[in-house]
Amino acid sequence: VQLQASGGGLVQAGGSLRLSCVASGSISSIKTIRWYRQAPGMQRELVAGITSGGTTNYADSVEGRFTISRDNDKNTVYLQMNSLKPEDTAVYVCCASAGGWSGIYDYWGQGTQVTVSS
């Protein structure tokens, strides 16, 4: 499984961005796709996740502001980020858990920088 993340940028506080994570390879083996973020000097944080069945979960810090969704026709998972705050500034990375009877493995995409100015 290969992942390509995009959509980051610079936005003012209160603005919006939409991140995309395009998957390729063994698409059918993907169980979940999650977005993580890591700010300088901080630990990596799970932001949101979506299962193959469409179940979603969010970190408390983004609940109600961020929405994760998927477009199966485009093999893409989106992270719609609204009401952005300076503390949302981080490198955002998507990760897929995929596999089968032999095991489930994590596959990571490259990061995309999100910077929110005050």
Side-chain angles (χ1 to χ4, degrees), residues 4-113:
Q4 181 72 36
S6 63
L10 173 63
V11 64
Q12 288 188 330
S16 298
L17 282 173
R18 188 178 76 162
L19 305 184
S20 300
C21 177
V22 180
S24 60
S26 300
I27 303 296
S28 61
S29 70
I30 294 176
K31 310 302 181 186
T32 67
I33 292 185
R34 304 178 300 280
W35 283 100
Y36 291 83
R37 67 185 180 187
Q38 188 165 21
M42 304 291 286
Q43 287 189 333
R44 187 171 59 199
E45 175 188 21
L46 176 62
V47 177
I50 187 166
T51 70
S52 57
T55 300
T56 60
N57 66 285
Y58 299 93
D60 289 344
S61 58
V62 307
E63 183 83 53
R65 299 188 298 122
F66 290 10
T67 302
I68 190 169
S69 62
R70 58 193 294 158
D71 185 332
N72 291 332
D73 290 338
K74 296 182 179 179
N75 297 327
T76 301
V77 168
Y78 302 101
L79 185 67
Q80 178 67 44
M81 306 186 295
N82 299 328
S83 302
L84 283 162
K85 305 175 181 180
E87 51 264 43
D88 294 318
T89 295
V91 175
Y92 285 70
V93 182
C94 57
C95 174
S97 294
W101 62 269
S102 62
I104 303 296
Y105 304 94
D106 287 341
Y107 300 85
W108 295 86
Q110 90 292 356
T112 184
Q113 176 70 47

